[in-house]
Amino acid sequence: SDAIPLHFLTPEALGVYQPALPPEGVLLLHISKRYFELEPQLDAALRGSGWHARVLTDNPPARNDALTGSVWIAASRDPQQLARVVAGRGAGKPLKSEPGVAPWTDEHASILPALRWANVFGRPL
């Protein structure tokens, strides 16, 4: 489904994940959504918190129309370990950053800024 577990994508959640991972650990977040763009919110949550992150995409072979691709965020506090993990995936790409996007928090989260309006209505608004 396109439901978003907002409480897993907040700075507060990242604060819970950090002590659960060893210093060289890598956190993988699956963010494939048809109607939502989650990269800017995650970038805002990770920015300034000591995490390093890359976007990884997994696209199925073109000959298989039954499969869809997926998008993942690999995040780590150890940039060298992150580089080793994503190296086999083409090094990934930086997260999309949008000015003015605030991270979701346990106190406030709105999905409206993350909505891909063109996908919802079939055209940009």
Side-chain angles (χ1 to χ4, degrees):
S1 86
D2 237 30
I4 302 169
L6 297 176
H7 58 287
F8 291 148
L9 308 176
T10 65
E12 294 91 345
L14 294 170
V16 172
Y17 305 149
Q18 179 190 347
L21 285 174
E24 71 283 357
V26 176
L27 175 67
L28 294 173
L29 298 162
H30 178 241
I31 64 162
S32 300
K33 298 293 175 199
R34 181 173 298 147
Y35 298 110
F36 296 97
E37 176 59 65
L38 302 180
E39 282 182 47
Q41 274 71 31
L42 272 169
D43 178 66
L46 292 163
R47 190 180 325 119
S49 64
W51 289 85
H52 305 273
R54 302 298 282 179
V55 178
L56 304 172
T57 55
D58 182 37
N59 294 311
R63 63 185 179 280
N64 192 337
D65 293 336
L67 300 175
T68 59
S70 60
V71 180
W72 296 79
I73 303 297
S76 179
R77 298 181 70 78
D78 179 345
Q80 286 79 29
Q81 179 67 357
L82 180 63
R84 283 190 290 274
V85 168
V86 301
R89 310 281 311 164
K93 65 179 182 84
L95 276 71
K96 288 180 189 171
S97 182
E98 291 182 10
V101 171
W104 290 322
T105 69
D106 288 348
E107 297 297 319
H108 176 74
S110 172
I111 62 169
L112 292 179
L115 195 56
R116 290 179 175 153
W117 294 100
N119 288 10
V120 173
F121 296 106
R123 60 180 170 73
L125 291 180

